[in-house]
Structures are given as C-alpha cells and as structure tokens.
Amino acid sequence: MAEQRQDQRDGRGAREGGRDVPEGWRRDVLPEEARAWEALVATARRTVSEGLVVGTSGNVSVRVGETVLVTPTGVPYDRLTPEDVTGVGLDGRQVLGTLVPTSELPMHLAVFRTTDARAVVHTHAVHATAVSTLVPELPVIHYMTAALGGPVRVAPYATYGSEELAENMLRALADRTGCLLQNHGTITYGASLDQAYDRTAQLEWMCRLWLTASSVPGMSPSLLSGGQLAEVAEKLRGYGQRP
C-alpha cells in the first residue's frame, strides 16, 4: 500500500504497529536470510522497474524456515540495504530488523500459514486493478490461466491491511496461486520469488490482453472452455527442463 514514509531510522529502536518491540525479540540475521533478503529486494525493485507498482505501493515477502522476510512499510525499494532486513515469525511477531513491516502483513502471513508458499508478491498493477473493478472473475482469455490453477477470482474489497481483506483473499485463492483484489491490485505466490513474480507478471499481461480485446467496438473476445483449460493444465505438468 502506498503510504507516507515514516522516520524509521531515528535510533529509537524497533517498532511494530507503533509500539516498541522488545529487544529480546530480535536476533542476528542468518546467512540464508541475508541471501534471501538480497533476492527479495531485487524482486521488489523489479516490480517498480517493470511498472507493476508505483513508489512504495505493493510488497514482497519470502519464507526462510519459520521466518518471513518482508518489505518494510513506506520505504522506497532503492533505499533498502542489507542492514534493513525485516522479518517476522508466522505469528506476526517481529524477530529481525528495526523497520516496521508492510501494512499488508496480514495477507502475506495468511498465505504462508495456509499454503506451501515460499514467496508472495503483491502489486497495484494497472490493468489487473482495472479488471478487478469490472468483473468477479477474469474471463479465460488465455491458456496461461491454467498456470494459476484456473480462472482467476476477484476478492471482494476490504480496507488495506485488514484481517477482512486477508480472509477475502484466502477465499479467492482457494485452489489458485493468484487472485485479484477488488479496487486494489493483485497477489500471487510460488515456490520461489522468481515463480511468484512470474505469476504476477502473467496475471497483469492476461488482464491487459482481456481489456484490449474487449475494447474493440462490436466484438467480443473468444474465451477458452473448461475442457480446453484442463488440457493445458495437464500439459503444463511436464513443462520446462527436467532436473
């Protein structure tokens, strides 16, 4: 969520939701967490450079063991450094860093608690957000819909950062790896940051495709049937290079 940047490096200690975070809750960063943080920051910067977010809108997270590393609230991604590692436990308790985690933390934690996700990407991509205001489900305009588990649903609107939004999102994500958030944006997850990001990019592209095709006067785009989508889903199981 786009927010005004807070002064979070003023030496007054870690804070969580405006409250002091006890020093004992924090610990040293593990080597694998440092590597994951570097990859997370690179992914967050990519969402900006490729036009999926503007400013500090959107957020990214990655799970390392029982710790979730997440972008902090209101800090431009190009200003993040290795010392800015921000991490929480699955219970939301901050265990790493002094910067306040993203306000969308409830959504990220909900995904990690209920799926096998290792990474989550949330954006305010323009075309996807536009589609979220028009339909309850993205029409099956392209076979890559199968890569997200099936027709992409739209989660009903709720205030950003709220538990209600997280609950709406989980319902829309049932048997899916991505969904739209009404009047808000997108959220996708995957087994890695690259996979979660690629699913976000594919979702935005499909939304743009549907909007473009639907804009031709007097014409309606052809859509894929459930059978056609199921055939693609089966074929995608063997897609890519073998280990």
Side-chain angles (χ1 to χ4, degrees):
M1 183 67 195
E3 301 152 327
Q4 293 296 320
R5 187 181 181 196
Q6 301 176 26
D7 183 4
Q8 297 172 9
R9 296 188 177 90
D10 60 3
R12 288 177 292 184
R15 299 183 66 80
E16 179 183 27
R19 297 168 297 165
D20 289 333
V21 176
E23 292 288 337
W25 283 12
R26 288 177 287 152
R27 57 173 174 75
D28 292 336
V29 179
L30 301 175
E32 56 267 36
E33 292 170 339
R35 291 191 294 271
W37 176 255
E38 182 179 2
L40 179 149
V41 171
T43 300
R45 290 173 178 168
R46 189 179 175 191
T47 65
V48 176
S49 66
E50 297 189 7
L52 297 178
V53 304
V54 176
T56 60
S57 66
N59 23 78
V60 179
S61 63
V62 61
R63 181 173 178 176
V64 181
E66 296 303 297
T67 300
V68 175
L69 305 182
V70 63
T71 47
T73 184
V75 181
Y77 300 142
D78 62 356
R79 299 185 189 178
L80 291 175
T81 71
E83 289 71 40
D84 293 325
V85 175
T86 304
V88 302
L90 291 173
D91 60 358
R93 184 182 69 173
Q94 188 161 354
V95 296
L96 291 174
T98 62
L99 299 182
V100 179
T102 172
S103 58
E104 297 291 11
L105 187 60
M107 279 204 304
H108 288 261
L109 292 180
V111 173
F112 288 118
R113 290 170 184 154
T114 58
T115 73
D116 59 357
R118 307 306 295 182
V120 176
V121 176
H122 165 53
T123 78
H124 292 179
V126 173
H127 300 92
T129 303
V131 169
S132 80
T133 70
L134 298 172
V135 292
E137 182 179 277
L138 174 63
V140 185
I141 189 73
H142 195 272
Y143 66 78
M144 282 307 290
T145 300
L148 295 175
V152 179
R153 307 182 187 101
V154 178
Y157 180 81
T159 304
Y160 80 88
S162 66
E163 292 294 340
E164 180 184 4
L165 177 58
E167 292 169 3
N168 291 349
M169 172 208 67
L170 283 181
R171 285 191 289 271
L173 279 178
D175 300 317
R176 303 287 188 271
T177 55
C179 73
L180 300 178
L181 307 171
Q182 190 176 51
N183 295 86
H184 187 153
T186 70
I187 192 160
T188 60
Y189 69 86
S192 66
L193 282 165
D194 283 345
Q195 187 178 60
Y197 182 87
D198 287 346
R199 285 172 172 167
T200 296
Q202 285 286 354
L203 179 53
E204 168 67 357
W205 180 82
M206 287 191 292
C207 288
R208 183 178 181 182
L209 175 62
W210 181 71
L211 288 171
T212 301
S214 299
S215 68
V216 179
M219 302 289 287
S220 296
S222 63
L223 302 175
L224 300 180
S225 68
Q228 289 171 321
L229 202 60
E231 184 179 354
V232 172
E234 183 61 32
K235 194 168 184 177
L236 284 174
R237 297 180 193 277
Y239 180 78
Q241 299 298 315
R242 301 297 186 272

